[in-house]
Amino acid sequence: MINRNNIIELLKGIKVEWKALGEIAKISSGGTPKTNISEYYGGDIPWLRTQEINFGNIWDTGIKITEEGMKNSSAKWIPKNCVIIAMYGATVGKVGINKIPMTTNQACATINLDKNIANYNYIFHFLSNQYAYIKSLGTGSQTNINAQIVKKLEIPIPPLHVQTEIVRILDTFTELTAELTAELTAELTARKKQYDYYRDKLLTFKEDEVEWNTLENITLPTSNIKWKETERAYKYIDLTSVSRETKSIIETTKITASNAPSRAQKVVEENDVIFATTRPTLQRFTLIDREFSGNIASTGYCVLRANCNYILPKWIYYSISSTRFNNYVNENQSGTAYPSISDAKVKQFKIPIPSLEEQTRIVEILDKFDALTNSITEGLPREIELRQKQYEYYRNLLLNFPKVEDK
C-alpha cells in the first residue's frame, strides 16, 4: 500500500545532488530529409515528430524514412530508452520515451542518459512534473525551446536505488489508471450495446400495430431570429456545442446582430429536438432544456418541435437516436468531404405513433437506461481525472527535493 508516510520514510535523510542534464546525458536533436524527394520517405526507419510525444512510451512513428533520407539529413539513430522532449510548436515541453531505436526530426531533443547516474524513467517522471516550467522557458511566437535550454535543466539526483523505488511507485499509479480506463471503457461499451438493443426493441412496431407518420406531420413550425427587431445577445448552439457522448449541450458562444454567422438563425424553445444535418452520421442531437430556451441554433441543425397533442418531445428524441433512423440518414445523406442531409429529408422519416400513454411508459424506461449510460459516460473521464490528480500529487511529493543554494 502506497501512502504519504512510506514516501516520507523513503526520502528521509537521502543525499541529493543537483546536476544539469548536460552533465549526465548526451543531448542531441535530429533532422528532416527534404520533403520534396520521395526517395527519402516510405522506408523502414522510424522517424519521430513532436506531435507524437505525449507523456508516454513511444513504440512506433507515423512516418518512416529511408537510408538515403537519413544519409542526406541530420537525422540519426538513437538507442531505445532515451527521454525525448518536444522543443517546438504546440507540444513544446512534452516528454516521452522511445521504446525502440529510431530517428527524430530537429524539433525533438534526445536525452541519452548515463545509466550509472540516472534512471531514464526517473528523469522522464521528473521532466513530466516540470512540464509547465519547461514550457515557460520558450521564446518567440511559438514559445520554442532549444537544446541549450534542455542541457541547462537542473535535475535532483538521489541514489539509484531511490530513483528505482520512485519509478516503481509512479509506474504503479500509471498502471492503475490504465487498468481503470480499460475497465470503465469496457463497462461503458457493454452498457451502450445493451441500451441500443432495448431502445430499438421498444421502438419497434409492426406496420398495422400502430399509426405511422412522418416527422413533418407531427411537428410544429419554427421561426428564425429577426435581427432587425432585437439588440440582445443570445447563446449560440453551433455544431460542436452538442456532446456526441452525453447528447447534451456542453458549451455555447454569445452572438448578437453584429457577429451572427448568418442572417437566418433558428430560434429554439424548451423541448425542441435538434439534429445536426451537417455530417449527420456523427449523431449530434439533443433535447433543448430550459437553460437554452429562446436562444439560437446553427442553421446546421434541423429543429423538431413536437405537436404535444399528438406526440411527446422525448418520443421524437428517442426515435432519432434509433438504429433505424441512423440507417435512414446513411442512405439519404449526400456529399463526400462534408456530407449532409436536408431538413426536408429528415422530416420525411416515418416513426410509429402509439398512444400518449404508451409513449410515456416507453420513454420512462428509456430515460432510466439513458441515465445509467450517461452516468458511466460522465464518470469515465471524472474517475480518470481523479486518478491522474492522485498520480500528480504523489509525483510532486516524490520529486519535490529542496534545493540547497550555494553560500
Side-chain angles (χ1 to χ4, degrees):
M1 180 69 180
I2 300 167
N3 59 50
R4 184 184 175 89
N5 292 334
N6 295 146
I7 292 173
I8 292 172
E9 190 63 29
L10 169 68
L11 302 179
K12 187 167 63 176
I14 65 168
K15 183 179 178 180
V16 175
E17 187 176 4
W18 285 78
K19 289 182 176 291
L21 263 181
E23 296 179 66
I24 61 173
K26 294 178 181 177
I27 296 171
S28 62
S29 58
T32 300
K34 290 183 178 178
T35 56
N36 61 344
I37 301 179
S38 60
E39 290 80 9
Y40 291 172
Y41 292 88
D44 56 7
I45 299 173
W47 182 69
L48 184 71
R49 299 161 296 159
T50 54
Q51 56 262 50
E52 297 171 295
I53 302 172
N54 192 27
F55 301 110
N57 291 330
I58 304 164
W59 289 97
D60 199 3
T61 63
I63 295 177
K64 307 291 193 300
I65 61 174
T66 62
E67 288 281 355
E68 194 68 19
M70 190 169 71
K71 288 176 184 177
N72 287 279
S73 72
S74 298
K76 50 189 164 295
W77 281 106
I78 60 172
K80 68 178 182 179
N81 294 331
C82 291
V83 180
I84 303 174
I85 300 182
M87 296 192 293
Y88 302 170
T91 58
V92 62
K94 289 190 176 184
V95 187
I97 298 172
N98 63 306
K99 301 307 293 182
I100 60 170
M102 61 177 56
T103 63
T104 76
N105 69 9
Q106 67 277 11
C108 300
T110 297
I111 304 167
N112 188 2
L113 290 148
D114 183 339
K115 64 181 180 182
N116 295 313
I117 299 175
N119 181 310
Y120 67 88
N121 275 308
Y122 167 79
I123 299 299
F124 165 78
H125 285 297
F126 182 81
L127 292 176
S128 297
N129 200 42
Q130 296 292 305
Y131 168 63
Y133 168 69
I134 294 170
K135 190 173 182 179
S136 74
L137 299 175
T139 58
S141 59
Q142 292 188 320
T143 63
N144 295 340
I145 61 174
N146 57 47
Q148 292 306 311
I149 289 174
V150 174
K151 287 178 181 179
K152 292 177 182 179
L153 290 172
E154 292 194 316
I155 311 292
I157 307 295
L160 277 170
H161 75 276
V162 175
Q163 294 181 41
T164 300
E165 183 61 12
I166 289 172
V167 168
R168 186 193 69 79
I169 293 170
L170 294 177
D171 282 353
T172 298
F173 281 112
T174 302
E175 290 168 10
L176 289 172
T177 300
E179 289 173 5
L180 175 69
T181 302
E183 289 173 8
L184 289 177
T185 301
E187 174 69 10
L188 177 60
T189 300
R191 289 298 175 93
K192 280 186 172 179
K193 285 182 179 179
Q194 184 184 42
Y195 167 73
D196 289 347
Y197 171 80
Y198 282 107
R199 179 204 58 215
D200 288 348
K201 188 175 180 65
L202 287 165
L203 294 174
T204 299
F205 295 85
K206 295 177 181 178
E207 287 290 335
D208 59 353
E209 193 174 0
V210 295
E211 179 187 350
W212 290 72
N213 214 329
T214 62
L215 288 172
E216 182 178 27
N217 289 337
I218 57 173
T219 54
L220 300 173
T222 58
S223 60
N224 292 342
I225 187 71
K226 296 179 180 178
W227 288 113
K228 291 182 179 179
E229 298 177 11
T230 181
E231 295 181 357
R232 61 165 280 199
Y234 292 85
K235 293 177 181 177
Y236 180 60
I237 306 165
D238 66 20
L239 291 175
T240 61
S241 294
V242 175
S243 166
R244 294 172 57 198
E245 287 72 36
T246 62
K247 307 304 181 191
S248 60
I249 297 172
I250 50 178
E251 61 180 353
T252 58
T253 55
K254 288 288 183 72
I255 62 169
T256 62
S258 62
N259 67 350
S262 75
R263 310 309 296 172
Q265 302 295 323
K266 300 177 178 180
V267 180
V268 293
E269 302 295 343
E270 185 176 3
N271 290 324
D272 284 351
V273 177
I274 60 173
F275 174 78
T277 54
T278 300
R279 301 181 73 182
T281 55
L282 292 181
Q283 291 283 292
R284 292 190 189 273
F285 61 89
T286 192
L287 185 74
I288 299 296
D289 61 23
R290 184 173 300 176
E291 178 184 355
F292 300 100
S293 181
N295 284 282
I296 294 173
S298 162
T299 54
Y301 286 105
C302 175
V303 180
L304 300 168
R305 184 168 297 164
N307 182 342
C308 293
N309 294 322
Y310 196 57
I311 195 165
L312 299 177
K314 276 201 170 180
W315 188 259
I316 294 177
Y317 171 83
Y318 284 123
S319 294
I320 68 168
S321 75
S322 68
T323 302
R324 193 171 66 85
F325 180 73
N326 193 41
N327 292 339
Y328 174 84
V329 168
N330 272 317
E331 293 166 2
N332 289 280
Q333 67 178 357
S334 59
T336 52
Y338 288 95
S340 62
I341 184 171
S342 68
D343 284 23
K345 186 60 74 173
V346 169
K347 291 182 178 181
Q348 287 174 21
F349 180 68
K350 280 190 171 184
I351 66 172
I353 315 290
S355 67
L356 287 172
E357 291 76 15
E358 181 65 2
Q359 290 179 43
T360 301
R361 183 186 74 83
I362 293 173
V363 162
E364 287 175 353
I365 295 171
L366 291 175
D367 278 349
K368 291 175 182 177
F369 270 111
D370 194 45
L372 180 60
T373 304
N374 279 341
S375 69
I376 298 173
T377 303
E378 293 168 357
L380 177 61
R382 185 162 54 245
E383 287 294 329
I384 293 171
E385 181 185 6
L386 289 173
R387 189 58 59 86
Q388 181 65 21
K389 285 182 178 179
Q390 187 183 40
Y391 160 74
E392 289 172 358
Y393 168 79
Y394 281 105
R395 183 179 68 185
N396 191 56
L397 187 64
L398 284 160
L399 299 174
N400 188 23
F401 296 101
K403 189 173 183 181
V404 179
E405 301 293 340
D406 295 332
K407 294 183 179 179

Short mmCIF file of all heavy atoms in Angstrom, two decimals, residues 33-41:
data_model
loop_
_atom_site.label_atom_id
_atom_site.label_comp_id
_atom_site.label_asym_id
_atom_site.label_seq_id
_atom_site.Cartn_x
_atom_site.Cartn_y
_atom_site.Cartn_z
N PRO A 33 14.67 14.94 -43.59
CA PRO A 33 15.02 14.80 -45.01
C PRO A 33 14.14 15.73 -45.85
O PRO A 33 13.00 16.02 -45.47
CB PRO A 33 14.71 13.33 -45.31
CG PRO A 33 14.71 12.65 -43.97
CD PRO A 33 14.22 13.66 -43.01
N LYS A 34 14.65 16.19 -46.97
CA LYS A 34 13.87 17.08 -47.83
C LYS A 34 12.55 16.43 -48.22
O LYS A 34 12.52 15.31 -48.73
CB LYS A 34 14.66 17.44 -49.09
CG LYS A 34 15.86 18.34 -48.80
CD LYS A 34 16.58 18.72 -50.08
CE LYS A 34 17.74 19.67 -49.78
NZ LYS A 34 18.50 20.03 -51.01
N THR A 35 11.47 17.15 -47.94
CA THR A 35 10.15 16.56 -48.13
C THR A 35 9.74 16.43 -49.59
O THR A 35 8.80 15.71 -49.91
CB THR A 35 9.09 17.39 -47.38
OG1 THR A 35 9.17 18.75 -47.83
CG2 THR A 35 9.33 17.37 -45.88
N ASN A 36 10.45 17.13 -50.48
CA ASN A 36 10.09 17.06 -51.90
C ASN A 36 10.82 15.94 -52.65
O ASN A 36 10.69 15.82 -53.86
CB ASN A 36 10.35 18.41 -52.58
CG ASN A 36 11.82 18.81 -52.52
OD1 ASN A 36 12.59 18.25 -51.74
ND2 ASN A 36 12.20 19.79 -53.34
N ILE A 37 11.57 15.13 -51.91
CA ILE A 37 12.27 14.00 -52.54
C ILE A 37 11.63 12.70 -52.05
O ILE A 37 11.84 12.29 -50.90
CB ILE A 37 13.78 14.03 -52.23
CG1 ILE A 37 14.40 15.34 -52.74
CG2 ILE A 37 14.48 12.82 -52.85
CD1 ILE A 37 15.87 15.49 -52.47
N SER A 38 10.85 12.09 -52.90
CA SER A 38 10.06 10.92 -52.48
C SER A 38 10.93 9.75 -52.06
O SER A 38 10.52 8.93 -51.22
CB SER A 38 9.12 10.49 -53.61
OG SER A 38 9.86 10.14 -54.78
N GLU A 39 12.15 9.65 -52.60
CA GLU A 39 13.03 8.53 -52.27
C GLU A 39 13.48 8.55 -50.82
O GLU A 39 13.99 7.55 -50.31
CB GLU A 39 14.27 8.55 -53.18
CG GLU A 39 14.00 8.20 -54.64
CD GLU A 39 13.42 9.37 -55.42
OE1 GLU A 39 13.41 10.50 -54.88
OE2 GLU A 39 13.00 9.16 -56.58
N TYR A 40 13.28 9.69 -50.15
CA TYR A 40 13.72 9.80 -48.75
C TYR A 40 12.67 9.26 -47.77
O TYR A 40 12.96 9.12 -46.58
CB TYR A 40 14.03 11.25 -48.41
CG TYR A 40 15.26 11.82 -49.09
CD1 TYR A 40 15.55 13.18 -48.98
CD2 TYR A 40 16.11 11.02 -49.84
CE1 TYR A 40 16.68 13.73 -49.60
CE2 TYR A 40 17.24 11.55 -50.46
CZ TYR A 40 17.51 12.90 -50.33
OH TYR A 40 18.63 13.43 -50.95
N TYR A 41 11.46 9.01 -48.27
CA TYR A 41 10.36 8.60 -47.39
C TYR A 41 9.77 7.26 -47.83
O TYR A 41 9.95 6.82 -48.95
CB TYR A 41 9.27 9.68 -47.37
CG TYR A 41 9.75 10.95 -46.70
CD1 TYR A 41 10.41 11.95 -47.42
CD2 TYR A 41 9.57 11.15 -45.33
CE1 TYR A 41 10.88 13.10 -46.80
CE2 TYR A 41 10.03 12.30 -44.70
CZ TYR A 41 10.69 13.27 -45.44
OH TYR A 41 11.15 14.40 -44.82
#
